[in-house]
Amino acid sequence: MKGIIFNVLEESVTTEFGAGTWDDLLEAAKVDGAYASVGAYPDEQLYALVGAASSALKIPPDDVLRWFGVRALPLLAERYPGFFGRHTTTRGFIVTLDSIVHPEVNKLYPGSETPKFEFDTSSPDVLVMFYRSKRMLCPLVEGLARGAADVYGETVTIQHTECMRQGAPHCRFELTFAKKNPGT
Ligand code: HEM
């Protein structure tokens, strides 16, 4: 996993819980915490940090991943405004993940292994999103989608109808977006 992901995790933890908590997590996870954004680090280090956060906060690891996704996306939006500024809706942004965002990420971070997304856009109301990755980080996907909705001033309702962790060939999500504070 590329260092940028660890950088964003550090910023998320430090902003919400303070620098001391990040140091505690590094110690509990037995990692040194020196992450260069373009460097590549074993996925196990991310899982160890998520596990340490799960123990410290007494919440399941998948909830840590969801929390991280919500926090990470606005930070990515700050670092890479170009991916976001050309869209006015969460849906418009998300459908470019596989055609623009992650391919550009692969250029910026050679050797990155981004997941595969596919979309069924036949319904104007419900965006169907398919996620495939050997890492099976579907709770992170949910969090990132929620974080993206925050960026666009929307809410998103997520139904996770098929899951790779239960043997499906992909995770399938139904995303329904609404504007926050409609009418204001
Ligand atoms: C809603 C929007 C997004 C979703 C759902 C998403 C999803 C994911 C997930 C789940 C992963 C973990 C790897 C895996 O599952 O195999 C990942 C990796 C990554 N994503 Fe995204 N992503 C989003 C937006 C972005 C944006 C805006 C950037 C901008 C830089 C980005 C950059 C990356 C990078 C650098 C990795 C690490 C790949 C590696 O280390 O090999 N993603 N993405």
Side-chain angles (χ1 to χ4, degrees):
M1 188 75 74
K2 286 285 164 182
I4 170 90
I5 299 296
F6 292 88
N7 297 156
V8 168
L9 179 62
E10 175 178 356
E11 192 173 340
S12 304
V13 169
T14 307
T15 305
E16 185 153 340
F17 302 105
T21 302
W22 177 245
D23 289 339
D24 293 345
L25 294 185
L26 293 176
E27 201 179 318
K30 299 189 173 60
V31 294
D32 69 12
Y35 297 111
S37 67
V38 293
Y41 305 90
D43 289 0
E44 287 66 33
Q45 293 198 8
L46 182 70
Y47 305 151
L49 286 164
V50 168
S54 160
S55 304
L57 300 172
K58 299 189 175 51
I59 60 172
D62 283 353
D63 286 352
V64 174
L65 284 173
R66 274 188 203 93
W67 170 85
F68 174 42
V70 172
R71 290 308 178 117
L73 211 281
L75 297 176
L76 291 171
E78 273 173 25
R79 282 175 165 78
Y80 301 95
F83 292 140
F84 293 84
R86 61 181 92 173
H87 307 290
T88 52
T89 62
T90 318
R91 177 178 170 131
F93 164 71
I94 283 189
V95 296
T96 65
L97 260 188
D98 220 60
S99 53
I100 299 174
V101 178
H102 280 150
E104 288 298 321
V105 166
N106 296 148
K107 284 187 217 159
L108 290 167
Y109 299 97
S112 55
E113 294 177 86
T114 48
K116 183 87 198 126
F117 287 97
E118 285 174 281
F119 300 94
D120 176 346
T121 56
S122 54
S123 161
D125 302 320
V126 180
L127 176 64
V128 180
M129 176 168 87
F130 299 93
Y131 161 76
R132 249 179 297 139
S133 163
K134 62 173 192 268
R135 296 177 174 127
M136 296 193 258
L137 294 172
C138 36
L140 180 62
V141 174
E142 286 182 30
L144 288 164
R146 288 195 193 286
D150 286 340
V151 166
Y152 288 99
E154 297 180 350
T155 59
V156 59
T157 307
I158 302 176
Q159 309 269 15
H160 188 176
T161 55
E162 293 173 44
C163 186
M164 291 186 82
R165 294 179 181 181
Q166 268 133 43
H170 48 228
C171 288
R172 180 180 182 278
F173 299 93
E174 294 178 0
L175 307 177
T176 312
F177 302 100
K179 278 274 166 224
K180 263 183 203 159
N181 306 320
T184 60

